């Protein structure tokens, strides 16, 4: 018993010691901030979403040390920043999440006087409904939701619109991304409705239409969709352009189509969360990333479409003119950006999607 | 003094139980009465019991868990029996336990390699001229993988109960003229029932909420309650509804434990 008591005592002592060290460290870090000796920039971004050589270049040019942390979903990022205890200087949420964070007062307004590269950005990707006037965010990458097809099983040109997916000849050959917003959105777009609808009849009708797609659906999967498509497991997939780029890099039989009848246009923008500790470094990074040559380098590495017009011009012609990643103006004009619908409507979308998943073949 | 001693012995365990068992369950129950705005409500339970979706999902979960348990039991019992009669029983048991050291996700990915369109199984089927078939994303593939993952947890308790079984009882049954079949059904199986029950608990309950496999192998064509919980916590962030399903799962588990409890002990106590 004595030994057990000792052991418990020792463990408690160690825990207390570690806690004390932690508090001391935090204090010294804070005092470091006050005296302006803070040279660290903490970036909270998606995994593998920046060219590492750019981070090195940034550190060399500015003398700041970059601490790069990653998340794998907007919701996870939101929860972590909201719960506090973090000190991210910059984060890269998607469109609807920026709106949600703005509503929750989690963002700091950007001082446009300190931003030098705003003119490099394409006007079409600025001033979006989720952040009018780009008061809180600067575009980082953008993309679309579309259809990936394998030319071994599907003829080029057979897939032009969402409705083509309902063709009975694609029985048991479509993979859907496991995301209520995207799959409900794609169905709404196929019927000419808005992907942001807040109308129960429209959603119910979309769910009914989606049920009729079930015979064609092979599986509803998450990130594994990339692996499956690269392995020829299915002929068609509904997925984001970013995932599609990764699949195509692995399997040259795959192609990506942005349906002409509407759908989702998404953005990942850089924001400054309330947890920002090093504003000068954050502005330095924003300006660094908006330089055309850096934006181009980053786009080439990540494979997504850059909103930086001057940067895009520097990209090789084969990438710049690829309709898969930079769709024609006419297609682009039909696309809609997701809005934050609030918890009630997100729940509705999800419930309908769950019901759809329960549909028997 | 001795009371004090037992008390200080139990303090760490009580602390552990309160922190990691009681507190989470209480939190879960409290959460289950909250809606998306954080207000107290019974709506989650009302939704659960009035929506056909959740009830069907519950039925699916129970159905698949039942089938998987039956499959594992059918494979595990004979295997445990043979193992318990082998010379190096502990070594064979080690081989059975070995796969549990490998992460669940890795095993799932290995099965994708076997079952996919260009996978090993389909290559073999095409080679002998009857393939390729769609194996992934079917109920069958889900049940095979789930059963494979759960088998060690079924074999272990059955094996233990068979090893502890007194050999002289079997000899006595034979001496008294029982056929091998009678010995099996009247002596060995009843005597190892506690192991079977423990095995059923260890397999049925986790299978109820298996969710990674339903997506990776089942391609979300098999929907269990685990899928719904994952979605409510990660996507809709409706923690209340997610917790409600969690509470219902806990109740289902308690019911399983109750129905497979060891009734013999009760009798023993009465006798004692």
């Amino acid at each position: 018993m004595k030994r057990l008591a000792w052991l418990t005592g020792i463990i408690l002592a160690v825990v207390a010691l570690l806690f004390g060290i932690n508090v001391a460290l935090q204090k010294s870090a804070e005092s470091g901030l006050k005296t302006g000796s803070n040279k660290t920039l903490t970036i909270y971004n998606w995994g593998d979403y920046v060219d590492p050589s750019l981070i090195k270049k940034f550190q060399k040019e500015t003398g700041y040390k970059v601490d790069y942390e990653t998340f794998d979903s907007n919701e996870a990022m939101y929860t972590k920043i909201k719960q506090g205890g973090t000190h991210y200087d910059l984060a890269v949420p998607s469109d609807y999440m920026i709106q949600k964070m703005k509503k929750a007062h989690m963002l700091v307004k950007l001082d446009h006087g300190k931003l030098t590269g705003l003119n490099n950005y394409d006007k079409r990707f600025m001033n979006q409904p989720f952040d009018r006037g780009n008061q809180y965010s600067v575009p980082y990458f953008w993309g679309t939701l579309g259809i990936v097809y394998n030319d071994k099983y599907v003829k080029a040109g057979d897939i032009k619109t969402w409705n083509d997916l309902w063709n009975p000849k694609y029985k048991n050959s479509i993979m859907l991304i496991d995301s209520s917003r995207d799959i409900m959105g794609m169905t709404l777009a196929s019927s000419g409705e808005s992907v942001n609808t807040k109308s129960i009849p429209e959603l119910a009708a979309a769910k009914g239409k989606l049920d009729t797609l079930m015979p064609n659906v092979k599986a509803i999967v998450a990130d594994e969709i990339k692996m499956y498509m690269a392995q020829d497991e299915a002929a068609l997939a509904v997925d984001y352009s970013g995932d599609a780029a990764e699949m195509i890099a692995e399997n040259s039989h795959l192609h990506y189509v942005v349906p002409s009848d509407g759908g989702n246009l998404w953005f990942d923008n850089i924001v400054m969360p309330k947890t920002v500790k090093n504003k000068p470094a954050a502005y330095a990074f924003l300006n660094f990333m908006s330089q055309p040559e850096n934006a181009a380098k980053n786009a080439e590495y990540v494979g997504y479409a850059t909103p930086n017009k001057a940067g895009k011009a520097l990209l090789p012609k084969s990438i710049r003119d690829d309709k898969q990643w930079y769709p024609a103006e006419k297609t682009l004009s039909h696309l809609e950006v997701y809005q934050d619908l609030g918890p009630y409507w997100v729940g509705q979308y999800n419930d309908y999607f769950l019901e759809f998943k329960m549909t028997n073949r | 003094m001795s009371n004090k001693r037992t008390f200080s012995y139990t303090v760490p365990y009580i602390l552990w139980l309160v922190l990691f068992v009681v507190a989470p369950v209480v939190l879960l129950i409290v959460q289950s009465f909250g809606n998306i705005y954080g207000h107290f409500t019974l709506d989650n339970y009302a939704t659960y019991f009035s929506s056909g979706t959740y009830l069907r999902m519950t039925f699916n979960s129970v159905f698949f868990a039942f089938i998987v348990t039956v499959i594992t039991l059918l494979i595990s019992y004979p295997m445990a029996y043979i193992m318990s009669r082998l010379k190096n029983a502990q070594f064979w048991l080690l081989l059975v336990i070995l796969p549990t050291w490998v992460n669940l996700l890795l095993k799932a990915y290995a099965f994708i390699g076997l079952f996919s369109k260009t996978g090993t199984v389909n290559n073999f089927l095409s080679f002998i001229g009857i393939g390729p078939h769609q194996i992934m994303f079917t109920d069958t593939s889900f049940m095979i993988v789930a059963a494979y993952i759960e088998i060690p947890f079924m074999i272990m308790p059955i094996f233990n109960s068979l090893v502890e079984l007194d050999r002289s009882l079997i000899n006595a049954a034979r001496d008294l003229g029982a056929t091998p079949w009678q010995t099996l059904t009247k002596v060995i199986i009843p005597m190892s029932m506690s192991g079977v029950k423990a095995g059923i608990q260890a397999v049925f309950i986790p299978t109820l909420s298996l969710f990674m496999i339903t997506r990776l192998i089942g391609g979300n064509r098999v929907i269990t309650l685990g899928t719904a919980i994952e979605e409510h916590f990660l996507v809709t962030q409706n923690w209340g509804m997610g917790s409600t399903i969690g509470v219902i799962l806990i109740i289902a588990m308690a019911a399983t434990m109750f129905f497979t409890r060891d009734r013999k002990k009760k009798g023993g106590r009465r006798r004692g």
Side-chain angles (χ1 to χ4, degrees):
Chain A
M1 176 212 112
K2 245 187 192 154
R3 264 172 68 190
L4 195 71
W6 266 104
L7 212 64
T8 319
I10 290 171
I11 291 173
L12 285 177
V14 170
V15 167
L17 186 73
L18 286 176
F19 184 73
I21 292 176
N22 192 19
V23 169
L25 275 179
Q26 254 177 7
K27 263 211 179 123
S28 77
E30 266 165 37
S31 65
L33 286 184
K34 270 170 209 147
T35 55
S37 67
N38 181 21
K39 295 300 271 178
T40 313
L41 171 71
T42 315
I43 302 173
Y44 199 31
N45 199 351
W46 301 78
D48 203 22
Y49 207 33
V50 69
D51 185 345
S53 71
L54 283 177
I55 297 273
K56 268 194 207 131
K57 190 176 161 198
F58 174 75
Q59 300 193 102
K60 219 168 158 191
E61 266 180 27
T62 60
Y64 292 114
K65 193 188 151 294
V66 173
D67 195 355
Y68 188 80
E69 288 188 37
T70 62
F71 56 85
D72 56 10
S73 83
N74 277 306
E75 282 69 24
M77 176 221 55
Y78 178 86
T79 312
K80 200 152 174 205
I81 292 183
K82 178 136 206 184
Q83 277 175 346
T86 56
H87 43 85
Y88 301 119
D89 297 311
L90 292 170
V92 188
S94 306
D95 35 57
Y96 72 99
M97 189 48 78
I98 295 174
Q99 202 178 354
K100 190 172 167 182
M101 292 173 85
K102 205 166 72 182
K103 264 188 220 158
H105 304 289
M106 285 160 66
L107 300 180
V108 176
K109 248 188 197 165
L110 297 176
D111 181 355
H112 281 213
K114 287 182 183 158
L115 293 172
T116 53
L118 276 184
N119 291 330
N120 294 336
Y121 291 103
D122 194 327
K123 291 278 168 294
R124 287 180 303 175
F125 305 126
M126 302 289 278
N127 193 28
Q128 289 295 325
F130 58 86
D131 181 22
R132 285 284 174 217
N134 284 73
Q135 287 186 309
Y136 295 91
S137 72
V138 174
Y140 186 63
F141 279 118
W142 64 276
T144 51
L145 179 74
I147 303 169
V148 181
Y149 69 88
N150 190 322
D151 62 19
K152 280 195 220 165
Y153 312 109
V154 177
K155 249 190 287 162
D158 271 8
I159 296 287
K160 288 202 180 79
T161 65
W162 292 116
N163 284 312
D164 291 333
L165 292 176
W166 270 262
N167 191 329
K169 74 176 172 190
Y170 300 128
K171 192 167 164 42
N172 198 21
S173 52
I174 304 172
M175 280 202 181
L176 301 178
I177 189 84
D178 186 11
S179 149
S180 53
R181 199 68 203 272
D182 293 317
I183 299 306
M184 292 300 290
M186 144 209 133
T187 319
L188 286 163
S190 76
S191 318
E193 316 285 6
S194 162
V195 297
N196 293 312
T197 187
K198 285 190 179 182
S199 140
I200 289 288
E202 278 180 21
L203 280 174
K207 192 253 164 193
K209 185 173 180 185
L210 203 48
D211 284 348
T212 62
L213 182 67
M214 205 40 142
N216 285 1
V217 176
K218 182 172 216 158
I220 304 162
V221 284
D223 261 348
E224 315 83 68
I225 198 168
K226 289 182 263 182
M227 175 189 70
Y228 285 131
M229 288 308 288
Q231 288 178 358
D232 287 355
E233 184 73 30
L236 293 154
V238 175
D239 203 352
Y240 323 105
S241 53
D243 281 358
E246 280 179 52
M247 296 174 199
I248 291 169
E250 281 186 48
N251 185 341
S252 56
H253 287 289
L254 299 176
H255 306 274
Y256 181 71
V257 180
V258 184
S260 57
D261 46 353
N264 170 234
L265 174 70
W266 55 259
F267 287 92
D268 287 335
N269 284 19
I270 314 187
V271 298
M272 206 183 282
K274 273 267 153 71
T275 54
V276 59
K277 284 274 164 72
N278 193 348
K279 278 192 184 177
Y283 280 111
F285 189 78
L286 285 171
N287 293 333
F288 176 82
M289 287 315 280
S290 43
Q291 285 168 28
E293 62 273 18
N294 295 339
K297 195 153 193 310
N298 206 21
E300 242 182 294
Y301 174 87
V302 177
Y304 286 31
T306 177
N308 195 313
K309 201 174 186 179
K312 187 186 159 195
L314 298 176
L315 285 169
K317 203 171 159 19
S318 60
I319 301 179
R320 208 167 59 205
D321 292 342
D322 195 334
K323 288 279 171 291
Q324 298 180 96
W325 318 123
Y326 296 97
E329 188 62 44
K330 196 165 158 254
T331 312
L332 216 52
S333 66
H334 291 299
L335 303 181
E336 278 179 284
V337 181
Y338 288 146
Q339 285 164 30
D340 174 32
L341 300 174
Y344 173 75
W345 285 99
V346 172
Q348 291 299 319
Y349 273 73
N350 219 59
D351 286 350
Y352 277 116
F353 187 57
L354 200 60
E355 259 179 64
F356 155 69
K357 284 205 236 172
M358 298 285 298
T359 318
N360 293 323
R361 257 186 261 212
Chain B
M1 179 65 199
S2 110
N3 256 345
K4 231 184 196 170
R5 191 174 266 190
T6 33
F7 177 71
S8 51
Y9 260 127
T10 51
V11 164
Y13 302 110
I14 291 175
L15 263 178
W16 180 273
L17 282 176
V18 168
L19 273 178
F20 298 113
V21 180
V22 179
V25 171
V26 170
L27 276 178
L28 195 73
I29 293 173
V30 171
Q31 285 263 20
S32 74
F33 288 109
N35 62 9
I36 40 176
Y37 309 105
H39 302 306
F40 177 85
T41 173
L42 287 171
D43 284 358
N44 294 332
Y45 288 93
T47 314
Y48 184 92
F49 288 108
S50 62
S51 111
T53 320
Y54 288 115
L55 291 182
R56 219 143 40 90
M57 212 183 300
T58 315
F59 173 77
N60 270 356
S61 297
V62 172
F63 174 75
F64 278 111
F66 176 75
I67 303 270
V68 169
T69 312
V70 169
I71 297 173
T72 30
L73 184 61
L74 286 180
I75 298 172
S76 302
Y77 198 93
M79 192 159 162
Y81 182 77
I82 296 167
M83 273 168 49
S84 70
R85 293 287 165 270
L86 289 175
K87 223 184 191 172
N88 300 315
Q90 291 303 326
F91 170 72
W92 296 110
L93 187 67
L94 182 78
L95 286 191
V96 168
I97 297 172
L98 213 64
T100 62
W101 298 356
V102 178
N103 185 288
L104 180 72
L105 271 178
L106 287 180
K107 287 190 271 192
Y109 273 88
F111 269 105
I112 293 173
L114 288 174
F115 286 169
S116 66
K117 216 171 179 179
T118 50
T120 319
V121 174
N122 266 327
N123 279 345
F124 177 73
L125 288 181
S126 332
F127 176 70
I128 59 171
I130 50 168
H133 284 278
Q134 179 64 39
I135 309 174
M136 288 297 293
F137 317 124
T138 57
D139 293 357
T140 324
S141 63
F142 168 70
M143 287 190 280
I144 292 174
V145 176
Y148 163 78
I149 285 163
E150 303 292 356
I151 274 178
F153 303 103
M154 183 67 96
I155 290 186
M156 274 189 284
I158 299 179
F159 173 83
N160 283 335
S161 69
L162 284 171
V163 164
E164 282 165 17
L165 202 147
D166 196 345
R167 293 282 302 173
S168 57
L169 288 172
I170 298 167
N171 291 337
R174 296 239 172 91
D175 287 349
L176 293 171
T179 62
W181 177 249
Q182 279 174 320
T183 320
L184 184 71
T185 53
K186 303 272 182 212
V187 179
I188 299 175
I189 290 183
M191 297 280 292
S192 58
M193 222 38 207
S194 62
V196 173
K197 281 174 178 169
I200 290 175
Q201 286 174 5
V203 170
F204 184 78
I205 292 168
T207 313
L208 268 183
S209 54
L210 214 60
F211 72 90
M212 271 321 277
I213 306 298
T214 54
R215 199 185 74 206
L216 280 170
I217 305 288
N220 269 330
R221 307 307 308 261
V222 177
I223 301 282
T224 62
L225 289 173
T227 318
I229 295 183
E230 188 201 13
E231 235 160 58
H232 280 307
F233 273 90
L234 295 183
V235 185
T236 49
Q237 307 209 302
N238 185 352
W239 289 22
M241 195 65 220
S243 305
T244 303
I245 304 172
V247 169
I248 285 165
L249 270 179
I250 291 180
I251 294 171
M253 290 169 192
T256 320
M257 299 285 262
F258 179 79
F259 287 118
T260 54
R261 74 188 185 283
D262 223 340
R263 290 189 178 82
K264 251 189 241 143
K265 253 188 202 146
K266 232 173 162 184
R269 219 180 293 139
R270 224 177 284 142
R271 242 176 283 142

